[in-house]
Amino acid sequence: MRIAEIPEQLLFHRLSTEGVGIDFGSARARVKTNLPACAASIRTVYGGYFADDPSGMFDVTVDLRRVRGIRAYVRPQCQLLCDGIVDQEPFPLDTSLPLLEWGTNYSLATRLYCYLLLHAGVVERGGRAIVMPAMPGSGKSTLTAALTLRGFRLLSDEFGVVRLRDARLLRMLRPLALKNESIDVIQRFEPTAVLGRRFPKTRKGTVAHLAPQPSHVDARQEVASPALVVFPRFDPAASVELHPVQKARAFARLAVNSFNCEALGPQAFEALSQLVAESSCWQLRYGDLNGAIKALRELLDEAKQVDGPGLLSDKREAVRW
Amino acid sequence: MDFGSPRSHAPQALRPLLLALSDPRSAASYDESGWDSLIPVARTARLLGVLAHRVYEHVDRSTLPERVQRHLDAGLTEARYRRQKTLFLLHTITPALSGHAGPWVLLKGAAYVAQDRPLGRGRLPTDVDLMVPRASLDGVEHALKSAGWVFEKTEEYDQHYYRAWSHELPPMVAAGQSMELDLHHTILPPIGRIKPDTARLFSDAMPVAGTAFHVLCPHDQLLHAIVHLVHDSDFIGRLRDLVDIDAMFRALPLTDADARAALIERARLHDMEKPLRMAAMLCRGWFETPGCEELISDTVTAGDSFFYGERVITLANRVLGPANALDGSERSRRRAGKLLEARSHWLRMPPWLLAYHTASKGVRSLAQWATKRQGAATG
């Protein structure tokens, strides 16, 4: 049963007792909370996900609770327990969902050494992926959100999950966090988009979460092959400009932006080399979402297989700089 | 290696981990739910790599659920990464050390990694402890500074504290290194209650083949691990140190009467008989380490003392485990933690210095608070 279909009272009961299992594709979390407001937020932004049986093995258990003590009377706060340990500063009580999202991402980034985790948004169409590495303020989340509302399937917004043995991109489907102006931009861009409530004054400004569509949730096991690496940059003055990026440079930028490339060592090096070798790499400056989507769609159709598949010689060339 | 079965001193929630560490074959029978409670506890105790290493030695990896494999693999990956970082650090500082009188002795984790001892496999060292003779200390410090190492703590009092009363300099960091470097001239604070024979630590140190470094002799390595836990720490969340001690007791082996006698003699040389006895009591309670019973009766003349006796062990049992696998009320654990913290301070320095140090810390934090308030008022 999808989470949105569970009556609110029952969902809260389940979240506050044994928890609810949620499958993101390449990781599973057991989610618990005893805060009714948080349960309501979960029902909106995770509405399309299935409520899985919380028994068995999960990659992380996250439990959002109210902070107790005298201080709670002056300034009520909530805290997140990841596998029973508090390792984040508490948040104000009314920003429980951002804490849940942020803490879950953090715990996954520090636990999942079985994949190369890029800091990138990833969407796919016809089994071919566009990897968009994030630079703060690049408008990556906005562009990812807009693409998923126009026929691309969301694989992930925060983690580009790369399978080590063959450099395929896996799904890490999480609610997409939009910040500040992006929220209105996306709401105007697609009035039917399901956004969670807005949380003002978080450490990253105002945050709202775009709920993944049920059809994206349903394709849990799909993998995509790398086709495009695109470094987006939002520039209100530009319309749409595309510039090619050298593969060696793209490799370096992806590697430094990764969560665990260094720790994984040679395995990550090989996988990332293959990913870059098989992709065509571009810098995108855009001031207009529709124009950017059109350009990326054309680029994806053009990129076919001219740059891959990654032969060894091709790979070596790609990483020499 | 056979690790026996854990006894009753450990919290209930920790038993599966201790059992899996002691008898890795038993892990083969766990279902996903069993692993689901075991792996987070191992990760929090920083023992996931050690667990993975021991399990994979005895259980065919492919028979484990895939979700379990990937978390155990993660433990090994992180351990491999930290090992690599340790070796890289040692490689880069070697030129800076040359010209300064040795031996340059690696301690604890860095030593196990450099020697590739079985007990080092899967461990997650966070720093490198290097001991050099007192006479070389200033020279080595300057050489490291020229090579880009800097102190993290630059406050005058901190610098003074370490230099005047500690067995090590403040931790050093360098760009491009993810490990801290602690430069020691002995293994315990020279003003503390235990006075090890530092000259013998150096003269009996053994070279590590293929490197420019030495390590302590096996007895001293074990005794150092012991005093580090039962003398110089507050025990809170330090289960992994006890796991090291257990492994070294077994490697000795402690069941051998001659080996035991030699260890006790070495402990007497360093004034460490009581800590040794206490470590055996802890290992008996947590791991049923073979030979501990005999060691405890062999050292009966050292007796139970206020600082190394049953009372301290009762407190330590409450706080040794990771924070997500503890028994009892939070209040009792916090109380135990406070008492053990006070104990470690008491053992680390004489009362007059403790009073001075505490007062000085208080004054400085008050001053900081005042500056901050003033800053807030004017800014």
Side-chain angles (χ1 to χ4, degrees):
Chain A
M1 194 189 254
R2 287 190 206 274
I3 287 175
E5 293 159 15
I6 303 174
E8 207 167 326
Q9 286 294 321
L10 181 61
L11 179 66
F12 176 65
H13 173 74
R14 287 174 61 178
L15 285 166
S16 59
T17 51
E18 79 270 34
V20 170
I22 300 183
D23 192 332
F24 308 129
S26 45
R28 300 200 297 169
R30 184 189 288 113
V31 181
K32 296 181 175 188
T33 181
N34 60 6
L35 296 175
C38 186
S41 294
I42 288 172
R43 195 160 175 269
T44 311
V45 303
Y46 286 98
Y49 291 78
F50 292 92
D52 293 342
D53 178 1
S55 64
M57 172 98 188
F58 284 83
D59 295 297
V60 64
T61 298
V62 285
D63 186 355
L64 201 101
R65 293 187 191 173
R66 200 187 174 106
V67 179
R68 306 214 166 271
I70 299 169
R71 211 187 128 87
Y73 294 96
V74 188
R75 187 176 296 170
Q77 288 181 311
C78 55
Q79 66 186 4
L80 187 70
L81 286 94
C82 290
D83 290 334
I85 299 288
V86 181
D87 52 13
Q88 315 281 349
E89 289 288 304
F91 272 34
L93 189 61
D94 55 6
T95 50
S96 54
L97 185 69
L99 176 59
L100 179 74
E101 290 305 292
W102 200 59
T104 306
N105 283 343
Y106 177 82
S107 67
L108 291 175
T110 50
R111 278 164 174 70
L112 287 184
Y113 281 101
C114 47
Y115 304 115
L116 169 61
L117 299 178
L118 304 173
H119 191 198
V122 185
V123 296
E124 66 96 22
R125 214 166 66 115
R128 302 174 66 222
I130 308 178
V131 178
M132 290 174 287
M135 307 290 164
S138 62
K140 172 223 30 161
S141 292
T142 322
L143 184 56
T144 307
L147 284 163
T148 64
L149 294 165
R150 290 288 179 273
F152 286 81
R153 184 172 279 158
L154 178 63
L155 289 189
S156 74
D157 173 45
E158 194 70 18
F159 302 103
V161 181
V162 183
R163 192 156 67 189
L164 289 167
R165 67 166 192 270
D166 58 2
R168 299 301 94 167
L169 288 141
L170 306 185
R171 307 156 52 72
M172 180 73 90
L173 193 65
R174 312 257 308 117
L176 207 151
L178 295 168
K179 285 149 226 142
N180 303 319
E181 304 84 42
S182 298
I183 304 168
D184 285 331
V185 169
I186 290 301
Q187 195 73 83
R188 272 200 306 273
F189 180 76
E190 182 52 67
T192 64
V194 180
L195 284 168
R197 58 164 282 223
R198 289 168 197 233
F199 298 94
K201 293 185 194 164
T202 70
R203 71 181 73 173
K204 290 185 175 169
T206 302
V207 177
H209 300 85
L210 175 66
Q213 295 150 48
S215 62
H216 294 191
V217 174
D218 291 344
R220 284 189 218 203
Q221 300 304 330
E222 266 178 33
V223 299
S225 55
L228 290 179
V229 174
V230 176
F231 299 93
R233 174 165 292 279
F234 178 71
D235 178 356
S239 55
V240 175
E241 289 171 36
L242 279 164
H243 300 285
V245 175
Q246 280 182 343
K247 291 199 174 190
R249 202 171 286 273
F251 176 95
R253 286 173 73 177
L254 283 162
V256 267
N257 242 310
S258 140
F259 290 100
N260 58 5
C261 189
E262 195 188 355
L264 290 170
Q267 286 174 292
F269 187 92
E270 290 293 329
L272 192 53
S273 306
Q274 191 182 344
L275 185 148
V276 172
E278 289 186 27
S279 305
S280 135
C281 307
W282 298 88
Q283 173 96 44
L284 167 71
R285 291 174 82 85
Y286 72 97
D288 163 47
L289 280 174
N290 284 312
I293 292 168
K294 185 165 169 282
L296 288 178
R297 198 173 278 158
E298 284 167 11
L299 206 54
L300 190 62
D301 292 339
E302 270 168 39
K304 286 180 202 116
Q305 297 295 316
V306 283
D307 293 274
L311 301 167
L312 196 62
S313 57
D314 190 353
K315 211 192 284 180
R316 287 289 138 79
E317 205 167 289
V319 294
R320 193 181 298 141
W321 68 87
Chain B
M1 220 185 302
D2 177 27
F3 289 92
S5 64
R7 270 247 216 122
S8 52
H9 281 190
Q12 196 71 42
L14 206 51
R15 304 255 172 95
L17 174 63
L18 298 183
L19 187 66
L21 286 171
S22 303
D23 177 16
R25 275 179 205 89
S26 70
S29 62
Y30 288 0
D31 61 359
E32 284 207 7
S33 300
W35 285 104
D36 187 67
S37 51
L38 176 58
I39 285 184
V41 172
R43 184 184 285 114
T44 312
R46 298 183 62 79
L47 284 168
L48 190 55
V50 174
L51 175 69
H53 182 75
R54 291 191 185 176
V55 168
Y56 285 167
E57 238 180 15
H58 296 277
V59 180
D60 180 5
R61 179 174 174 278
S62 63
T63 61
L64 298 171
E66 205 181 324
R67 278 186 189 279
V68 174
Q69 286 176 25
R70 69 191 216 172
H71 284 284
L72 292 178
D73 291 351
L76 290 184
T77 302
E78 199 181 350
R80 185 188 62 193
Y81 171 61
R82 299 214 166 253
R83 177 188 150 78
Q84 176 68 20
K85 285 282 150 189
T86 304
L87 295 174
F88 173 67
L89 189 156
L90 297 182
H91 178 75
T92 52
I93 63 168
T94 304
L97 297 174
S98 57
H100 301 280
W104 316 319
V105 184
L106 299 173
L107 305 173
K108 294 185 293 188
Y112 313 148
V113 166
Q115 285 178 286
D116 202 18
R117 286 189 74 165
L119 92 128
R121 302 201 184 128
R123 271 177 113 264
L124 303 173
T126 52
D127 55 8
V128 168
D129 295 288
L130 174 69
M131 181 170 79
V132 299
R134 190 78 174 92
S136 305
L137 191 65
D138 291 344
V140 170
E141 180 193 334
H142 286 118
L144 286 171
K145 279 182 175 166
S146 313
W149 290 85
V150 291
F151 290 113
E152 250 186 328
K153 293 183 177 177
T154 49
E155 249 184 76
E156 208 178 311
Y157 180 83
D158 288 326
Q159 287 284 335
H160 173 68
Y161 170 82
Y162 276 97
R163 278 159 209 281
W165 299 310
S166 180
H167 54 297
E168 58 188 340
L169 297 182
M172 299 179 95
V173 290
Q177 301 278 359
S178 50
M179 300 249 163
E180 285 186 351
L181 176 61
D182 291 343
L183 202 55
H184 297 240
H185 57 85
T186 180
I187 55 170
L188 284 175
I191 46 157
R193 273 150 219 274
I194 292 182
K195 309 245 184 288
D197 186 338
T198 304
R200 291 292 298 275
L201 292 174
F202 279 104
S203 64
D204 293 338
M206 311 180 317
V208 183
T211 76
F213 295 93
H214 281 60
V215 293
L216 296 174
C217 68
H219 284 153
D220 286 354
Q221 274 189 29
L222 170 54
L223 290 167
H224 181 214
I226 287 174
V227 286
H228 189 65
L229 175 66
V230 309
H231 177 79
D232 205 26
S233 90
D234 53 18
F235 294 92
I236 299 170
R238 299 293 285 268
L239 174 63
R240 61 182 184 279
D241 290 342
L242 197 62
V243 170
D244 287 342
I245 295 169
D246 166 68
M248 279 189 272
F249 273 154
R250 287 168 199 268
L252 204 58
L254 202 60
T255 42
D256 181 288
D258 293 337
R260 220 162 46 234
L263 177 64
I264 294 169
E265 197 192 314
R266 191 73 183 180
R268 285 190 186 131
L269 170 79
H270 289 309
D271 193 15
M272 292 176 184
E273 197 178 351
K274 285 177 184 172
L276 170 64
R277 184 177 157 85
M278 182 166 158
M281 289 157 90
L282 278 167
C283 279
R284 178 183 62 177
W286 282 65
F287 296 101
E288 275 192 342
T289 316
C292 280
E293 204 64 65
E294 291 86 335
L295 189 139
I296 293 163
S297 51
D298 291 350
T299 52
V300 77
T301 46
D304 268 6
S305 70
F306 183 74
F307 283 114
Y308 301 100
E310 289 288 354
R311 268 174 301 241
V312 178
I313 287 176
T314 309
L315 295 175
N317 286 339
R318 274 184 220 155
V319 300
L320 254 174
N324 53 0
L326 295 170
D327 279 351
S329 71
E330 204 183 320
R331 182 183 288 183
S332 84
R333 287 200 304 270
R334 206 175 300 148
R335 188 176 142 267
K338 288 268 175 251
L339 288 170
L340 290 168
E341 201 188 327
R343 168 187 174 272
S344 78
H345 280 300
W346 181 259
L347 293 176
R348 198 174 295 159
M349 49 183 98
W352 58 267
L353 182 55
L354 187 57
Y356 173 75
H357 182 57
T358 315
S360 161
K361 274 214 143 165
V363 168
R364 281 183 312 133
S365 67
L366 249 166
Q368 262 173 14
W369 176 77
T371 327
K372 226 164 105 184
R373 260 184 78 101
Q374 205 174 19
T378 56

